[in-house]
Amino acid sequence: MKFTLSWLKTHLDTDAPLDTITDALTRIGLELEGVEDAGAPLAPFRIAHVVEAVQHPNADRLRVCTVDTGDGAPVTVVCGAPNARTGMKAVFAPPGSYIPGLDTTLKIGEIRGIQSAGMLLSYREMALGEDHTGIVDLPEDAPIGIPYPAYAGLDDPVIDISITPNRGDALAVRGVARDLAAAGIGTLRPWARPAIEGKFPSPITWRIDSPACPWVLGRTVRGVRNGPSPEWLQRRLRAIGLRPISALVDITNFFTIDLGRPLHVFDANKVRGGVLAFRSGAGETFRALNGRDYTTTADDCVIADAAGVQSLAGVMGGEATGSQLDTTDVFIECALFDPVAVALTGRRHDIISDARSRFERGIDVSLLPAALDAATAMVIELCGGEASEVAEAGAEPAWQRHATLRFERLETLGGLAVPAAEAVAALEALGFTVQSRDANQVTVAVPPWRNDVASAGSLDQAPALLPELALSAAAGRAEAEPEADLVEEVLRLRGLDAVPAVSMPAMAPVPLATYTPRQVRAATARRTLASRGMLECVTFSFVARDRAALFGDAPAALRLVNPIAADLDQMRPTPLATITPAAARNVARGLPVGALFEVGPAFSAESQEVLAAGLRHGPAPRSWDGAAQAASAMGTKADVFAVLAALGVPMDSLSVTAEAPAHYHPGRSGTVRQGPKLALAYFGELHPRVLAGLDLPGPAAAFEVRLDAIPEPKRRRKALPDLPTFQPLRRDFAFVVDAATPAETLLRAAKGAERTLITGVSLFDVYEGEGVPAGQKSLAIEVVIQPRDATMTDAAIEAVCAKIVAAVTKASGAVLRG
Amino acid sequence: MTDLETLQAETEAAIAASTTPRELDAVRVGIMGKSGRLTAMLKELGRATPDERRERGAALNRVRDVITGALDLRRVGLETAALDSRLAAERIDVTLPPPPEQSGLIHPISRTMEEMAAIFGAMGFSVGEGPDVETTWHNFSALNIPAHHPARAEMDTFYLPGTRNGHPLVLRTHTSNVQIISMLQGEPPLRVIAPGRTYRADHDATHSPMFHQCEGIAIDRGLTLGHLKGCLIDFLRAFFGISNLPVRFRASYFPFTEPSMEVDIGWNRKTGELGGGGDWLEILGSGMVHPRVLANCGVDPREWQGFAFGMGVERVAMLKYGMSDLRPFYESDARWLRHYGFNPLAPVALHEGVAP
């Protein structure tokens, strides 16, 4: 919402400096967006009289001017403009002033032997346009010594404020003035409704066939002469970015901004059939004032004459019946519309207009008759003509509402004990009128322009609420809301900075845990992976559909209806779908080796779950000791096990099977399970098709840990530690087994061969080749045997070893290697 | 020269001449072994008279002590020399680079959300969660943003095809859905913050279609706008580590709060430095929870009241840690992540301080 300071002062009587006004606007919720003060840089320039202009003795193209600046003795100015002449009125810049068009500060100079104490300016030098054919040549009656911005009307700053959706009343200069006056900036000037006498019945009348228009007034003014509007009106509209069109149109724009009261003017001679009807659209196409065609729907309220649709009610008028320069009879529309209907029509047709933004926020219901009279008066004043009687349809809807404020609520809700008298005065300044008052509370009538206070509004309660709970909550809202509205008004004007800040009272002497166990898991996984050398990244939850499909399902249910770009249209099935392209981008940046992870959502048609997903990619970094390794399935298996261990998963309960989702290499990937069913994690090399599809050079291995699937660790006291007195023994075994046999089968069998005595089994060699039959492999394991009650005899040790061999052979068919 | 003096002199010469522990040991055995020369002399002592024995014994013992001392001294010397030469041969080039071991780092968004959890946690808040794919009821209607409300259009919402419980599905435009979920889940009093992902159909230098927000809600019997101010001022000063950070509250409007306030902090627009400078920077939206929002969740506004607030995680992270651009947060450029990432072994802990 833009307006000029002088426009504001037609409603607000104040001498307050601009800064005071703009600070107050921001403080009371009419946030300042900006101030344009075009005159400020021109302030030193004054109107001057060129007493004499004579030829420069030493230069053909220069003139020496004697200039009366209205400030003491005349000064000498050397000027090169061809139009500099004796007797003219010009704009004078004194030495020391900044010339915006030249980006220079003026000094007293000597030009070809004659001292020049100032400058006569062109429009371009004042940065007011491109005109540089000569210096500014002002009319003879221009007053000498007056600052140029004041003379040219440029000393009127344009104030731009943003209006929140609740404050339709502040989309009017008068509304802003009222708020400022209530906040202690000046006083609101009275506004008088002019008296208009209707001389004849209006030849155009209204008919309402739509619930979207409860009330409408209109009046014909005949015998008008349309033309350009007067300079003051053009200047105001231009200052706020509106193009002056003609007196009749400019008048409607003036009232839209001045009173927040959108109007429309029909050319009465173009309206067919003498009746304008409000009705539903029926698919007709009409051309609006913005020159574009719109096709109406049954949900739109339109204004139609016998020839068809002439206006989208409350949003935009039509070209066919709009007033033109040759309009002689005009019909003024002053209507009330349902805000929701206007908002929906505006959105449906994507039209943003000054009328829509006011109607959808709600206008002053009671203002219709006065606004029509004021508009009629201005039409007659600017264009002549005589007014008809008022044509009316519908009726003023009941808008009267009351609200009660218990004064204590200013403190118990607002946190500030405002004295009752002050609170009441603030409300009265805003236009609320006291209905009753006692020591504890005041009941006020809500002014018709404040549609946001004590409004009907509606609830949309959760359907699962118990009926009595829903009822009492709804009753509570009906009581609490109007009071909260009033508390807000009082505090807003008083300034929220006045409310003393109070630190939160403690809920417990020492705060309880802030995270749920599930959130702790995510944090622990994040720290574990980062401590293993991986960089945490945060990638988008959506991805291109074809990329999502590389990582599993890309169901239509998770496809955005209105994606911002085609490559961000599908909710990702796993964070790997966005991490993998991120890794490819890093390779493209010249970083061939990397390790990224993300703890974030994976989406399926039914739900979303949190995964800790990561990707290691690139060859082994070259190193003098050769210790570094290339990205591999086993590397990411280690990541998975590190996360699971950090999360307290009992590692003995895990098993690994050789299958994984399709985005992994089918022969080099696995699933980590707890028990037979619960899949906790996947790991492995990425499928070559995935790498090719995302331009990621291999090797690349990934993992996904399903954090939400991990059962919460049981909170019980730890068992006592196992700290045997006797030294453990270590025995090595080498088995030859079918090459396809999982190593885990042997390890598990060895571990289980003697539960109390065997405390550790580790694989230290895997060998295929010479000495081992083709299709078989040799697995070498070390078993740790822990004597319990006494040092073990050789015979006892032999017995355990025999059990191990037997168990492994039974489980896997392996043969002890001779 | 007596035989003892001869023995001593010859032995000392032999000790000095030995160059290895083995040679030295041969000397020892030759003197003091079973059939060593000194051993033999000691054996002969038994045949002497008592007087001779006393005199001769003392002399023998003296010589033995001298030789033993000389043997020990030489042995230590030889061992030291052997160790020195071994260590000299075992030298490594200590300027070799250690094995490559890239450290990993925590993303600034995670770090910032953890800082928020720590500070609000100290004020009794817990962290709540809700789905990213949400119903229009949770995202809008329950929050007093009915279908026609301008705010619903202004939010540039992403829509999904399906419905849940009869309501269309959207990607949540704010984490305020967690306010609704929290109120429906349990009885007041409650204090919950909701850091998380949010989505709006807007993409340019200062907007990302996905970003993070931290919303908060506190509902109790006596919470006033004064508590709102105290809570947020306490948070902002702790978060930025500036104990006198100027904080300004301006009247504003949000559909889900009343009264509503924008919160500004003091900064210097030219240098970007927080604190002084005389300029104001908008950082938070806040307000007292609207009676309609309470009633929609079955909370009676006559009994319960409280406040809510919301802030952009990236925005405050940028201010705190000096990032100038929003887009790199999601680009996963390893160089950017290394530059702005945080040590995983130094997690947010109030007792270690959360300010930079």
Side-chain angles (χ1 to χ4, degrees), chain A residues 26 409 412-413 460-462 481 485 496 499 502-503 505 514 518 530 536 541 561-562 586 598 608 624, chain B residues 97 104-105 107 110 127 129 132 137 148 157 159 191 197 199 225-226 229 234 250 258 292 295-296 305 332:
Chain A
T26 293
R409 289 298 282 160
T412 59
L413 178 66
D460 197 340
Q461 291 185 302
E481 183 175 333
D485 291 338
L496 294 160
V499 177
V502 183
S503 289
T514 307
R518 181 168 174 270
E536 190 193 11
S541 301
V561 173
N562 56 336
N586 278 327
E598 177 168 352
Q608 77 181 60
W624 61 268
Chain B
L105 294 162
H107 195 283
S110 299
V127 173
E129 289 175 289
D132 295 26
W137 185 81
H148 56 81
T157 312
Y159 286 87
R191 293 182 192 180
R197 294 178 175 226
Y199 307 85
L225 196 139
K229 289 183 69 172
D234 289 342
R250 278 184 290 115
E258 175 176 51
R292 283 187 214 176
N296 282 340
Q305 63 188 36
S332 311

Side-chain angles (χ1 to χ4, degrees), chain A residues 106 108 122 133 143 209 314 376 442 459 468 505 515 553 558 595 602 718 745 750 786 799:
Chain A
L106 201 55
I108 295 181
S122 68
T133 54
D209 297 325
T376 308
V442 64
L459 290 180
E468 67 266 27
Y515 282 165
D553 212 10
L558 289 176
K718 275 189 170 181
T745 308
Q786 176 62 59

Side-chain angles (χ1 to χ4, degrees), chain A residues 249 264-267 270-271 285-294 309-312 316-324 327:
Chain A
V249 175
H264 181 66
V265 283
F266 292 92
D267 186 325
K270 293 178 187 164
V271 173
T285 298
F286 88 111
R287 178 157 296 176
L289 283 171
N290 61 6
R292 293 172 57 186
D293 292 338
Y294 295 95
V309 173
Q310 304 302 343
S311 180
L312 266 181
M316 194 169 277
E319 209 174 74
T321 51
S323 68
Q324 303 291 333
T327 296

Side-chain angles (χ1 to χ4, degrees), chain A residues 524-525 528-529 532 636-648 651:
Chain A
T524 304
T528 303
L529 291 169
R532 294 176 55 79
T636 53
K637 183 179 180 184
D639 293 325
V640 167
F641 275 58
V643 169
L644 295 178
L647 297 181
M651 301 306 282

Side-chain angles (χ1 to χ4, degrees), chain B residues 16-76:
Chain B
S18 18
T19 56
T20 65
R22 183 185 289 268
E23 284 173 26
L24 186 66
D25 202 48
V27 175
R28 183 188 61 79
V29 172
I31 305 301
M32 301 201 296
K34 265 186 189 164
S35 48
R37 288 164 66 190
L38 188 63
T39 312
M41 290 178 184
L42 285 167
K43 281 181 187 158
E44 283 166 16
L45 209 54
R47 296 197 285 271
T49 65
D51 284 356
E52 278 174 354
R53 194 186 306 164
R54 193 179 312 118
E55 201 176 309
R56 178 78 174 171
L60 279 171
N61 280 340
R62 199 166 54 246
V63 171
R64 190 191 58 198
D65 289 350
V66 169
I67 290 174
T68 306
L71 279 169
D72 285 351
L73 195 63
R74 184 63 181 161
R75 196 186 65 249
V76 169

Side-chain angles (χ1 to χ4, degrees), chain A residues 2-95:
Chain A
K2 283 184 176 179
F3 53 90
T4 65
L5 183 59
S6 71
W7 196 339
L8 177 68
K9 286 183 176 178
T10 64
H11 289 288
L12 185 68
D13 185 2
T14 180
D15 294 325
L18 182 60
D19 285 0
T20 307
I21 292 173
T22 53
D23 285 353
L25 285 170
T26 293
R27 191 173 63 242
I28 62 180
L30 307 176
E31 188 185 356
L32 184 72
E33 290 279 308
V35 175
E36 258 176 68
D37 195 352
L42 308 179
F45 307 149
R46 289 171 185 281
I47 295 171
H49 179 221
V50 179
V51 179
E52 189 181 35
V54 299
Q55 183 64 41
H56 193 295
N58 304 325
D60 287 350
R61 295 193 176 178
L62 297 179
R63 259 162 275 263
V64 179
C65 304
T66 306
V67 179
D68 176 6
T69 65
D71 186 20
V75 296
T76 300
V77 174
V78 177
C79 178
N83 65 336
R85 64 175 198 281
T86 300
M88 77 183 296
K89 292 283 178 62
V91 179
F92 171 75

Side-chain angles (χ1 to χ4, degrees), chain A residues 704-734:
Chain A
E704 294 151 279
V705 181
R706 302 179 57 215
L707 296 181
D708 293 341
I710 296 171
E712 272 182 36
K714 294 193 180 69
R715 292 194 58 171
R716 59 179 180 210
R717 267 176 65 176
K718 275 189 170 181
L720 292 174
D722 181 20
L723 304 173
T725 322
F726 302 97
Q727 275 206 1
L729 314 157
R730 290 182 163 76
R731 290 290 182 274
D732 293 350
F733 303 84

